[in-house]
Amino acid sequence: MAVPFRRVSKTSKRTRRAHDALDVNNLVVCSNCGKKIRPHRVCKYCGFYKNEQKIEVKSSKKD
C-alpha cells in the first residue's frame, strides 16, 4: 500500500476541501397557497404549478 512521502499541510488540505460545503436550498413562495417550496416543482401542499392545478392533494387533517 502506498504511503505519502510528506504530510499534507493544513493549507493544501483546506484548499482542496473549499468546494465541499453544502449549499442552502433556494425557496420560493407558492403563488396559490403562499407556502415556501423548491423552485420549478409542484407545490406539495396545494398541487399547483404555474397557476394550474397539476395534482390533487389529499388533506392530511384528521377530523
Side-chain angles (χ1 to χ4, degrees):
M1 186 170 150
V3 178
F5 184 69
R6 295 189 191 276
R7 178 180 178 185
V8 176
S9 69
K10 292 177 184 176
T11 305
S12 295
K13 176 173 58 175
R14 292 173 183 166
T15 303
R16 182 179 68 246
R17 295 181 180 168
H19 304 290
D20 290 349
L22 296 175
D23 294 332
V24 177
N25 288 336
N26 293 332
L27 297 176
V28 296
V29 177
C30 175
S31 60
N32 186 52
C33 67
K35 300 240 182 176
K36 290 193 175 190
I37 58 171
R38 295 181 65 194
H40 307 290
R41 285 165 177 80
V42 175
C43 179
K44 64 181 179 181
Y45 303 105
C46 64
F48 272 70
Y49 179 69
K50 292 190 176 180
N51 298 322
E52 290 183 21
Q53 183 80 28
K54 296 295 183 179
I55 59 172
E56 184 154 342
V57 179
K58 297 177 184 176
S59 77
S60 60
K61 294 182 182 177
K62 294 182 180 179
D63 294 327

